[in-house]
Amino acid sequence: AKVYLNGEIVTSENATISVFDRGFLFGDGIYEVMVQLENGIFYKKAHLDRLQENLVKIGIEYQVSELEKEIEPLLIASELVDQPCLIYMQVTRGVAPRKHSYPKGIPATAMMYALPFQLPYINQKNMHAILQTDFRWHRCDIKSISLLGNIMSNEAAMLAGTGEAALVRDGIITEGSHTNIFFVKDDTVITHPANEHILDGITRKILVKLCQELNIPLVERGISVEEIPTMEEAFFTGTSTQIASIAQLDNHTFHAPDDFGPITRKLQDALASLKEIDTSE
Ligand code: PMP
C-alpha cells in the first residue's frame, strides 16, 4: 500500500516514524476514517471538519487542508481514483523526548492511506451484541488514537461470538465499541446525547437529519439496561458499518435472524439513497 507521510507519498515499507513520536509513546493524536464511493467521498467535509475540531481540542496545531490536498495524489498513487475505498488519516503531536507536557514548536506527524473497501451489504443480517462496562475515560467525544478501551470491549464481543459490544456507563448504554447505538420505541428513534461520553458520529449526525426529513420523532437520551426489553428496535451506526440492525442485545431478542425492524429498514433505505447523490460538500 501507498502511504502519505509528512509531505511524501511512499510505499508502506518506507513509511517510517520515530519511536519518539508521541503517537507511539502516548497515543497522543487524532484519527479519522472516511469512505469513498463510486461518486465521491461520503460526507468528506464533515469528516475533515471533525478532524480539525478534534485537533483543536487537544491543541495540535495542524491544518487539515494540508492533508486534504494530498487525498487526490494519494488516490492516484494507490490506483483508487473513483474506486470504493476507505481513507484513514491520523495526526499526532510529533516527535520529542518523552515528557508528559506538550512540546512546543514541533511539527505534527501527518499520515494517511487508502485501501480498497466495499461497504457491507446495506441490510446486514443477524447482528448480535453483548453488553460491556464502559470503562473508558470521560472524553469519548475526542477521536483519540488511544483506543485501548474500545478494542478491549470489541475483543470481548468477538470472544463471545458476537459482532459488537454495547457499552454501559452507570447503567446507561452510551455507544458501541466503534459505533453509535440507536433504539426505537413507539415510532420514536432514541439515541444517546452527543456529550463527552460518546463520539458524535458523522453517521449519527446524518441519521438525526434523516429522521427530521422523514418526520420520524427523535429523542436524545441514554437508554438504561433495564429498558432494553421495552425497546422495539435497535441498531448500530458508523462510517464502515452504516446501519446494522441488532437482532439480539444481551439476553433480549429484537427480531428473527433474517428480519429487520420497520423503522431501521426505513432509515437504511434512506441512507442508501443518499449514496446516489454527491455528499462530499
Ligand atoms: N463511536 C465510536 C467509539 C467510533 O469509533 C465510531 C467510528 N469511528 C463511531 C462512534 C461512529 O462514527 P462515524 O459515524 O463518524 O463513523
Side-chain angles (χ1 to χ4, degrees), residues 204-230:
R204 181 189 178 283
K205 284 191 214 279
I206 295 169
L207 283 207
V208 169
K209 270 174 70 183
L210 282 178
C211 284
Q212 272 169 10
E213 283 166 23
L214 296 169
N215 284 318
I216 301 170
L218 179 133
V219 174
E220 291 185 74
R221 74 171 179 94
I223 295 298
S224 69
V225 172
E226 289 74 36
E227 286 178 278
I228 295 173
T230 72

Side-chain angles (χ1 to χ4, degrees), residues 31 47 50 136 143 150 175-180 199-204 237-240:
Y31 77 104
H47 283 279
R50 179 171 67 181
R136 300 174 302 163
K143 205 162 168 56
N150 302 66
E175 60 179 339
S177 75
H178 66 296
T179 51
N180 290 114
L199 180 83
D200 190 5
I202 303 298
T203 321
R204 181 189 178 283
T237 68
T239 295
S240 54

Side-chain angles (χ1 to χ4, degrees), residues 18-262:
S18 164
V19 293
F20 290 105
D21 191 278
R22 289 179 60 99
F24 183 66
L25 290 176
F26 293 116
D28 184 1
I30 301 292
Y31 77 104
E32 193 56 57
V33 179
M34 33 191 212
V35 289
Q36 171 166 269
L37 311 171
E38 274 85 359
N39 61 352
I41 297 172
F42 197 55
Y43 284 85
K44 176 169 125 188
K45 186 175 184 310
H47 283 279
L48 296 178
D49 287 351
R50 179 171 67 181
L51 178 55
Q52 189 69 66
E53 284 159 20
N54 274 271
L55 289 167
V56 168
K57 279 185 190 179
I58 68 166
I60 292 182
E61 287 174 24
Y62 179 82
Q63 291 307 316
V64 171
S65 53
E66 293 287 312
L67 266 180
E68 184 181 5
K69 66 178 198 281
E70 298 294 340
I71 295 173
E72 194 61 27
L74 175 74
L75 290 174
I76 293 169
S78 308
E79 296 177 22
L80 286 169
V81 176
D82 297 333
Q83 298 296 309
C85 65
L86 182 148
I87 300 168
Y88 179 88
M89 303 172 143
Q90 156 171 330
V91 180
T92 68
R93 200 178 304 277
V95 178
R98 188 183 181 282
K99 197 162 176 277
H100 283 59
S101 56
Y102 295 177
K104 301 286 178 279
I106 58 159
T109 302
M111 186 275 279
M112 169 169 66
Y113 63 76
L115 290 175
F117 177 77
Q118 284 287 352
L119 283 178
Y121 176 66
I122 182 73
N123 295 321
Q124 296 170 74
K125 289 187 162 70
N126 206 14
M127 162 72 96
H128 286 214
I130 57 165
L131 297 176
Q132 281 286 294
T133 301
D134 192 345
F135 45 69
R136 300 174 302 163
W137 65 336
H138 289 267
R139 290 306 305 275
C140 300
D141 58 306
I142 299 177
K143 205 162 168 56
S144 163
I145 60 169
S146 312
L147 287 172
L148 201 48
N150 302 66
I151 64 175
M152 286 171 71
S153 304
N154 190 267
E155 184 62 11
M158 297 302 134
L159 288 174
T162 60
E164 175 61 304
L167 306 178
V168 180
R169 191 189 292 264
D170 299 330
I172 301 291
I173 301 164
T174 51
E175 60 179 339
S177 75
H178 66 296
T179 51
N180 290 114
I181 191 166
F182 288 69
F183 294 90
V184 181
K185 188 188 181 177
D186 298 333
D187 295 326
T188 298
V189 172
I190 310 167
T191 195
H192 196 283
N195 61 18
E196 70 283 2
H197 287 154
I198 69 159
L199 180 83
D200 190 5
I202 303 298
T203 321
R204 181 189 178 283
K205 284 191 214 279
I206 295 169
L207 283 207
V208 169
K209 270 174 70 183
L210 282 178
C211 284
Q212 272 169 10
E213 283 166 23
L214 296 169
N215 284 318
I216 301 170
L218 179 133
V219 174
E220 291 185 74
R221 74 171 179 94
I223 295 298
S224 69
V225 172
E226 289 74 36
E227 286 178 278
I228 295 173
T230 72
M231 295 292 133
E232 289 152 13
E233 301 174 41
F235 55 88
F236 290 115
T237 68
T239 295
S240 54
T241 304
Q242 302 174 86
I243 300 175
S245 184
I246 303 175
Q248 189 172 335
L249 178 56
D250 195 32
N251 292 322
H252 183 74
T253 302
F254 285 102
H255 57 70
D258 56 355
D259 210 357
F260 307 97

